[in-house]
Amino acid sequence: MAQEVDLQGGGIAKIRNFWVGLGLTILTLGIYYFCWYYFVNDELKDIGTAKNDPNLSSSSPMNSVIAVLIGGFVIVPPLLSVYNYGQRIKRAERLAGVPRNREINPTLAFLLVFPGWILVIPGFVHYWYVTKHQNIALRAAAGLPAFDEPAGLPVAG
């Protein structure tokens, strides 16, 4: 079960376990991925609200999901959505006070998706990489040590 954290100033988020998310995605034949994508984007929006960042707080988790789900027929929208997701994580990490040298690299995250999903293994690395940085941003925004793993919960890192 994911550890819930209270974002200082608004919202509750979950520190997610990479292996649980990957297992649920495989078990549900990919359906969980879209739920996960909505949840993580919504949590980043909550960080933006808590930190009074109009750019992050005005992002739309549903539009992100639609871009990856339906936009896949056009190819460009999911790629743009995934790149912007990395940018939102970076912005959240910056707002939460994560040192710049420890922030996510959105370009690397994007390159792990494309052509990562075609090559499979880089796609898994992408999922691990963004989960790790999402958790760092959430911990820091909640006032917890950003780089300490929660007790009893093995998190990718």
Side-chain angles (χ1 to χ4, degrees):
M1 176 170 258
Q3 175 192 2
E4 289 190 351
V5 294
D6 184 21
L7 300 176
Q8 297 173 344
I12 293 179
K14 291 185 178 182
I15 305 297
R16 289 183 165 75
N17 182 306
F18 163 76
W19 295 108
V20 171
L22 181 62
L24 285 171
T25 299
I26 292 168
L27 187 66
T28 62
L29 304 175
I31 293 170
Y32 176 74
Y33 171 80
F34 300 106
C35 298
W36 170 84
Y37 199 61
Y38 177 85
F39 296 143
V40 294
N41 276 285
D42 192 47
E43 290 167 351
L44 292 172
K45 181 179 178 176
D46 288 345
I47 290 175
T49 301
K51 301 291 184 181
N52 295 318
D53 182 88
N55 190 0
L56 198 54
S57 65
S58 66
S59 64
S60 172
M62 187 55 73
N63 285 348
S64 298
V65 172
I66 290 170
V68 240
L69 185 62
I70 299 170
F73 297 111
V74 185
I75 298 176
V76 174
L79 297 177
L80 192 57
S81 179
V82 168
Y83 179 76
N84 287 335
Y85 171 52
Q87 290 285 13
R88 284 189 290 276
I89 293 173
K90 184 174 186 166
R91 189 173 192 91
E93 286 179 325
R94 193 163 287 165
L95 288 169
V98 174
R100 288 183 187 251
N101 65 335
R102 307 276 309 260
E103 291 175 357
I104 192 171
N105 180 337
T107 305
L108 174 61
F110 173 78
L111 291 174
L112 288 169
V113 168
F114 184 77
W117 286 120
I118 297 166
L119 302 174
V120 181
I121 298 300
F124 290 128
V125 175
H126 162 80
Y127 189 53
W128 167 81
Y129 185 63
V130 295
T131 300
K132 171 188 160 187
H133 282 280
Q134 174 89 13
N135 288 341
I136 288 170
L138 294 175
R139 280 192 212 103
L144 301 171
F147 302 100
D148 289 345
E149 306 303 330
L153 204 117
V155 178

PDB file of all heavy atoms in Angstrom, residues 6 13 18 28 32 68-69 80-81 89-90 95 102 108 114 119-120 130-131 138 145 147 153:
ATOM      1  N   ASP A   6       0.825  14.380   3.522  1.00  0.00           N
ATOM      2  CA  ASP A   6       0.039  15.611   3.484  1.00  0.00           C
ATOM      3  C   ASP A   6       0.903  16.704   2.877  1.00  0.00           C
ATOM      4  O   ASP A   6       1.940  17.050   3.438  1.00  0.00           O
ATOM      5  CB  ASP A   6      -0.394  15.978   4.901  1.00  0.00           C
ATOM      6  CG  ASP A   6      -1.299  17.198   4.944  1.00  0.00           C
ATOM      7  OD1 ASP A   6      -1.911  17.521   3.909  1.00  0.00           O
ATOM      8  OD2 ASP A   6      -1.378  17.821   6.009  1.00  0.00           O
ATOM      9  N   ALA A  13      -1.079  13.230  -1.084  1.00  0.00           N
ATOM     10  CA  ALA A  13      -0.439  12.512  -2.184  1.00  0.00           C
ATOM     11  C   ALA A  13       0.044  11.161  -1.682  1.00  0.00           C
ATOM     12  O   ALA A  13       0.067  10.899  -0.479  1.00  0.00           O
ATOM     13  CB  ALA A  13       0.729  13.330  -2.726  1.00  0.00           C
ATOM     14  N   PHE A  18       7.379   1.544  -7.251  1.00  0.00           N
ATOM     15  CA  PHE A  18       7.562   1.216  -8.666  1.00  0.00           C
ATOM     16  C   PHE A  18       7.057  -0.185  -8.996  1.00  0.00           C
ATOM     17  O   PHE A  18       6.343  -0.389  -9.974  1.00  0.00           O
ATOM     18  CB  PHE A  18       9.046   1.349  -9.037  1.00  0.00           C
ATOM     19  CG  PHE A  18       9.411   0.662 -10.318  1.00  0.00           C
ATOM     20  CD1 PHE A  18       9.078   1.227 -11.534  1.00  0.00           C
ATOM     21  CD2 PHE A  18      10.085  -0.556 -10.308  1.00  0.00           C
ATOM     22  CE1 PHE A  18       9.411   0.595 -12.728  1.00  0.00           C
ATOM     23  CE2 PHE A  18      10.417  -1.190 -11.488  1.00  0.00           C
ATOM     24  CZ  PHE A  18      10.081  -0.609 -12.704  1.00  0.00           C
ATOM     25  N   THR A  28      -3.402  -5.519 -15.251  1.00  0.00           N
ATOM     26  CA  THR A  28      -4.612  -4.946 -15.861  1.00  0.00           C
ATOM     27  C   THR A  28      -4.443  -4.708 -17.364  1.00  0.00           C
ATOM     28  O   THR A  28      -5.245  -3.999 -17.976  1.00  0.00           O
ATOM     29  CB  THR A  28      -4.987  -3.616 -15.180  1.00  0.00           C
ATOM     30  OG1 THR A  28      -3.923  -2.677 -15.369  1.00  0.00           O
ATOM     31  CG2 THR A  28      -5.283  -3.817 -13.709  1.00  0.00           C
ATOM     32  N   TYR A  32      -4.182   0.210 -15.769  1.00  0.00           N
ATOM     33  CA  TYR A  32      -3.749   0.935 -14.570  1.00  0.00           C
ATOM     34  C   TYR A  32      -2.822   2.098 -14.920  1.00  0.00           C
ATOM     35  O   TYR A  32      -2.823   3.121 -14.243  1.00  0.00           O
ATOM     36  CB  TYR A  32      -3.048  -0.002 -13.572  1.00  0.00           C
ATOM     37  CG  TYR A  32      -2.512   0.748 -12.372  1.00  0.00           C
ATOM     38  CD1 TYR A  32      -3.373   1.207 -11.387  1.00  0.00           C
ATOM     39  CD2 TYR A  32      -1.159   1.029 -12.240  1.00  0.00           C
ATOM     40  CE1 TYR A  32      -2.902   1.920 -10.296  1.00  0.00           C
ATOM     41  CE2 TYR A  32      -0.679   1.745 -11.161  1.00  0.00           C
ATOM     42  CZ  TYR A  32      -1.549   2.188 -10.190  1.00  0.00           C
ATOM     43  OH  TYR A  32      -1.076   2.903  -9.127  1.00  0.00           O
ATOM     44  N   VAL A  68      -2.401  10.985 -23.865  1.00  0.00           N
ATOM     45  CA  VAL A  68      -1.714   9.691 -24.018  1.00  0.00           C
ATOM     46  C   VAL A  68      -2.651   8.602 -24.511  1.00  0.00           C
ATOM     47  O   VAL A  68      -2.222   7.735 -25.255  1.00  0.00           O
ATOM     48  CB  VAL A  68      -1.057   9.198 -22.716  1.00  0.00           C
ATOM     49  CG1 VAL A  68       0.396   9.008 -22.803  1.00  0.00           C
ATOM     50  CG2 VAL A  68      -1.393   9.975 -21.535  1.00  0.00           C
ATOM     51  N   LEU A  69      -3.891   8.676 -24.134  1.00  0.00           N
ATOM     52  CA  LEU A  69      -4.848   7.631 -24.501  1.00  0.00           C
ATOM     53  C   LEU A  69      -5.370   7.792 -25.929  1.00  0.00           C
ATOM     54  O   LEU A  69      -5.152   6.942 -26.777  1.00  0.00           O
ATOM     55  CB  LEU A  69      -6.014   7.646 -23.505  1.00  0.00           C
ATOM     56  CG  LEU A  69      -7.057   6.552 -23.644  1.00  0.00           C
ATOM     57  CD1 LEU A  69      -6.418   5.189 -23.428  1.00  0.00           C
ATOM     58  CD2 LEU A  69      -8.167   6.762 -22.628  1.00  0.00           C
ATOM     59  N   LEU A  80       4.346  14.690 -26.378  1.00  0.00           N
ATOM     60  CA  LEU A  80       4.340  16.015 -25.765  1.00  0.00           C
ATOM     61  C   LEU A  80       3.878  15.939 -24.309  1.00  0.00           C
ATOM     62  O   LEU A  80       4.454  16.583 -23.427  1.00  0.00           O
ATOM     63  CB  LEU A  80       3.421  16.939 -26.571  1.00  0.00           C
ATOM     64  CG  LEU A  80       3.493  18.418 -26.279  1.00  0.00           C
ATOM     65  CD1 LEU A  80       4.907  18.947 -26.464  1.00  0.00           C
ATOM     66  CD2 LEU A  80       2.533  19.165 -27.189  1.00  0.00           C
ATOM     67  N   SER A  81       2.861  15.130 -24.041  1.00  0.00           N
ATOM     68  CA  SER A  81       2.351  14.975 -22.682  1.00  0.00           C
ATOM     69  C   SER A  81       3.408  14.375 -21.761  1.00  0.00           C
ATOM     70  O   SER A  81       3.598  14.842 -20.630  1.00  0.00           O
ATOM     71  CB  SER A  81       1.099  14.095 -22.687  1.00  0.00           C
ATOM     72  OG  SER A  81       0.620  13.930 -21.372  1.00  0.00           O
ATOM     73  N   ILE A  89       7.305  17.555 -13.120  1.00  0.00           N
ATOM     74  CA  ILE A  89       8.040  16.971 -11.983  1.00  0.00           C
ATOM     75  C   ILE A  89       9.202  17.887 -11.611  1.00  0.00           C
ATOM     76  O   ILE A  89       9.429  18.180 -10.434  1.00  0.00           O
ATOM     77  CB  ILE A  89       8.549  15.550 -12.299  1.00  0.00           C
ATOM     78  CG1 ILE A  89       7.390  14.570 -12.460  1.00  0.00           C
ATOM     79  CG2 ILE A  89       9.486  15.068 -11.187  1.00  0.00           C
ATOM     80  CD1 ILE A  89       7.818  13.184 -12.935  1.00  0.00           C
ATOM     81  N   LYS A  90       9.940  18.347 -12.613  1.00  0.00           N
ATOM     82  CA  LYS A  90      11.084  19.226 -12.352  1.00  0.00           C
ATOM     83  C   LYS A  90      10.634  20.511 -11.657  1.00  0.00           C
ATOM     84  O   LYS A  90      11.262  20.963 -10.706  1.00  0.00           O
ATOM     85  CB  LYS A  90      11.802  19.559 -13.662  1.00  0.00           C
ATOM     86  CG  LYS A  90      13.045  20.392 -13.472  1.00  0.00           C
ATOM     87  CD  LYS A  90      13.793  20.569 -14.770  1.00  0.00           C
ATOM     88  CE  LYS A  90      15.111  21.287 -14.523  1.00  0.00           C
ATOM     89  NZ  LYS A  90      15.998  21.186 -15.659  1.00  0.00           N
ATOM     90  N   LEU A  95      10.122  23.764  -6.729  1.00  0.00           N
ATOM     91  CA  LEU A  95       9.269  24.458  -5.758  1.00  0.00           C
ATOM     92  C   LEU A  95       9.425  23.880  -4.354  1.00  0.00           C
ATOM     93  O   LEU A  95       9.308  24.589  -3.363  1.00  0.00           O
ATOM     94  CB  LEU A  95       7.795  24.363  -6.174  1.00  0.00           C
ATOM     95  CG  LEU A  95       7.375  25.189  -7.377  1.00  0.00           C
ATOM     96  CD1 LEU A  95       5.966  24.794  -7.823  1.00  0.00           C
ATOM     97  CD2 LEU A  95       7.438  26.674  -7.063  1.00  0.00           C
ATOM     98  N   ARG A 102      19.982  17.382  -8.315  1.00  0.00           N
ATOM     99  CA  ARG A 102      19.272  16.135  -8.004  1.00  0.00           C
ATOM    100  C   ARG A 102      17.893  16.082  -8.656  1.00  0.00           C
ATOM    101  O   ARG A 102      17.137  15.149  -8.431  1.00  0.00           O
ATOM    102  CB  ARG A 102      19.095  15.976  -6.488  1.00  0.00           C
ATOM    103  CG  ARG A 102      20.342  16.079  -5.647  1.00  0.00           C
ATOM    104  CD  ARG A 102      21.178  14.830  -5.492  1.00  0.00           C
ATOM    105  NE  ARG A 102      20.577  13.622  -5.091  1.00  0.00           N
ATOM    106  CZ  ARG A 102      20.587  13.101  -3.874  1.00  0.00           C
ATOM    107  NH1 ARG A 102      21.117  13.774  -2.882  1.00  0.00           N
ATOM    108  NH2 ARG A 102      20.046  11.934  -3.637  1.00  0.00           N
ATOM    109  N   LEU A 108      15.882  13.329 -20.636  1.00  0.00           N
ATOM    110  CA  LEU A 108      16.215  11.914 -20.454  1.00  0.00           C
ATOM    111  C   LEU A 108      14.955  11.088 -20.250  1.00  0.00           C
ATOM    112  O   LEU A 108      14.804  10.019 -20.850  1.00  0.00           O
ATOM    113  CB  LEU A 108      17.156  11.742 -19.255  1.00  0.00           C
ATOM    114  CG  LEU A 108      17.479  10.305 -18.860  1.00  0.00           C
ATOM    115  CD1 LEU A 108      18.167   9.567 -20.006  1.00  0.00           C
ATOM    116  CD2 LEU A 108      18.336  10.281 -17.611  1.00  0.00           C
ATOM    117  N   PHE A 114      10.509   7.437 -25.781  1.00  0.00           N
ATOM    118  CA  PHE A 114      10.590   7.330 -27.235  1.00  0.00           C
ATOM    119  C   PHE A 114      12.041   7.385 -27.633  1.00  0.00           C
ATOM    120  O   PHE A 114      12.673   8.431 -27.476  1.00  0.00           O
ATOM    121  CB  PHE A 114       9.827   8.466 -27.922  1.00  0.00           C
ATOM    122  CG  PHE A 114       9.817   8.329 -29.406  1.00  0.00           C
ATOM    123  CD1 PHE A 114       8.982   7.419 -30.009  1.00  0.00           C
ATOM    124  CD2 PHE A 114      10.651   9.100 -30.199  1.00  0.00           C
ATOM    125  CE1 PHE A 114       8.968   7.279 -31.380  1.00  0.00           C
ATOM    126  CE2 PHE A 114      10.642   8.961 -31.570  1.00  0.00           C
ATOM    127  CZ  PHE A 114       9.801   8.056 -32.163  1.00  0.00           C
ATOM    128  N   LEU A 119      11.583  -0.374 -27.513  1.00  0.00           N
ATOM    129  CA  LEU A 119      12.662  -1.258 -27.073  1.00  0.00           C
ATOM    130  C   LEU A 119      12.355  -1.951 -25.747  1.00  0.00           C
ATOM    131  O   LEU A 119      13.155  -2.725 -25.251  1.00  0.00           O
ATOM    132  CB  LEU A 119      13.963  -0.460 -26.954  1.00  0.00           C
ATOM    133  CG  LEU A 119      14.414   0.249 -28.236  1.00  0.00           C
ATOM    134  CD1 LEU A 119      15.622   1.127 -27.947  1.00  0.00           C
ATOM    135  CD2 LEU A 119      14.715  -0.755 -29.334  1.00  0.00           C
ATOM    136  N   VAL A 120      11.239  -1.678 -25.121  1.00  0.00           N
ATOM    137  CA  VAL A 120      10.717  -2.251 -23.886  1.00  0.00           C
ATOM    138  C   VAL A 120      11.548  -1.909 -22.644  1.00  0.00           C
ATOM    139  O   VAL A 120      11.033  -1.243 -21.758  1.00  0.00           O
ATOM    140  CB  VAL A 120      10.495  -3.778 -23.986  1.00  0.00           C
ATOM    141  CG1 VAL A 120       9.927  -4.329 -22.690  1.00  0.00           C
ATOM    142  CG2 VAL A 120       9.579  -4.110 -25.150  1.00  0.00           C
ATOM    143  N   VAL A 130      10.705   8.240 -13.498  1.00  0.00           N
ATOM    144  CA  VAL A 130       9.704   9.263 -13.161  1.00  0.00           C
ATOM    145  C   VAL A 130       9.045   8.963 -11.818  1.00  0.00           C
ATOM    146  O   VAL A 130       8.723   9.894 -11.082  1.00  0.00           O
ATOM    147  CB  VAL A 130       8.654   9.462 -14.287  1.00  0.00           C
ATOM    148  CG1 VAL A 130       9.301  10.006 -15.545  1.00  0.00           C
ATOM    149  CG2 VAL A 130       7.857   8.223 -14.560  1.00  0.00           C
ATOM    150  N   THR A 131       8.868   7.682 -11.482  1.00  0.00           N
ATOM    151  CA  THR A 131       8.310   7.329 -10.172  1.00  0.00           C
ATOM    152  C   THR A 131       9.253   7.791  -9.062  1.00  0.00           C
ATOM    153  O   THR A 131       8.820   8.370  -8.061  1.00  0.00           O
ATOM    154  CB  THR A 131       8.057   5.814 -10.062  1.00  0.00           C
ATOM    155  OG1 THR A 131       7.124   5.429 -11.071  1.00  0.00           O
ATOM    156  CG2 THR A 131       7.510   5.429  -8.702  1.00  0.00           C
ATOM    157  N   LEU A 138       7.208  14.733  -4.006  1.00  0.00           N
ATOM    158  CA  LEU A 138       6.129  14.629  -3.016  1.00  0.00           C
ATOM    159  C   LEU A 138       6.665  14.668  -1.597  1.00  0.00           C
ATOM    160  O   LEU A 138       6.104  15.346  -0.727  1.00  0.00           O
ATOM    161  CB  LEU A 138       5.324  13.350  -3.242  1.00  0.00           C
ATOM    162  CG  LEU A 138       4.523  13.282  -4.543  1.00  0.00           C
ATOM    163  CD1 LEU A 138       3.879  11.915  -4.696  1.00  0.00           C
ATOM    164  CD2 LEU A 138       3.489  14.383  -4.611  1.00  0.00           C
ATOM    165  N   PRO A 145      12.151  14.339   4.456  1.00  0.00           N
ATOM    166  CA  PRO A 145      13.437  14.258   3.755  1.00  0.00           C
ATOM    167  C   PRO A 145      13.216  13.698   2.349  1.00  0.00           C
ATOM    168  O   PRO A 145      12.676  12.612   2.183  1.00  0.00           O
ATOM    169  CB  PRO A 145      14.265  13.298   4.611  1.00  0.00           C
ATOM    170  CG  PRO A 145      13.581  13.259   5.941  1.00  0.00           C
ATOM    171  CD  PRO A 145      12.141  13.564   5.687  1.00  0.00           C
ATOM    172  N   PHE A 147      15.146  12.473   0.068  1.00  0.00           N
ATOM    173  CA  PHE A 147      15.907  11.333  -0.431  1.00  0.00           C
ATOM    174  C   PHE A 147      15.935  10.146   0.506  1.00  0.00           C
ATOM    175  O   PHE A 147      16.596   9.169   0.249  1.00  0.00           O
ATOM    176  CB  PHE A 147      17.333  11.773  -0.783  1.00  0.00           C
ATOM    177  CG  PHE A 147      17.332  12.874  -1.800  1.00  0.00           C
ATOM    178  CD1 PHE A 147      17.506  14.187  -1.422  1.00  0.00           C
ATOM    179  CD2 PHE A 147      17.088  12.595  -3.129  1.00  0.00           C
ATOM    180  CE1 PHE A 147      17.482  15.198  -2.358  1.00  0.00           C
ATOM    181  CE2 PHE A 147      17.051  13.599  -4.071  1.00  0.00           C
ATOM    182  CZ  PHE A 147      17.251  14.902  -3.684  1.00  0.00           C
ATOM    183  N   LEU A 153       8.770   0.521   3.088  1.00  0.00           N
ATOM    184  CA  LEU A 153       8.201   0.638   1.741  1.00  0.00           C
ATOM    185  C   LEU A 153       9.333   0.751   0.741  1.00  0.00           C
ATOM    186  O   LEU A 153       9.935   1.812   0.599  1.00  0.00           O
ATOM    187  CB  LEU A 153       7.303   1.873   1.648  1.00  0.00           C
ATOM    188  CG  LEU A 153       6.276   1.773   0.556  1.00  0.00           C
ATOM    189  CD1 LEU A 153       4.909   1.806   1.203  1.00  0.00           C
ATOM    190  CD2 LEU A 153       6.401   2.885  -0.410  1.00  0.00           C
TER     191      LEU A 153
END
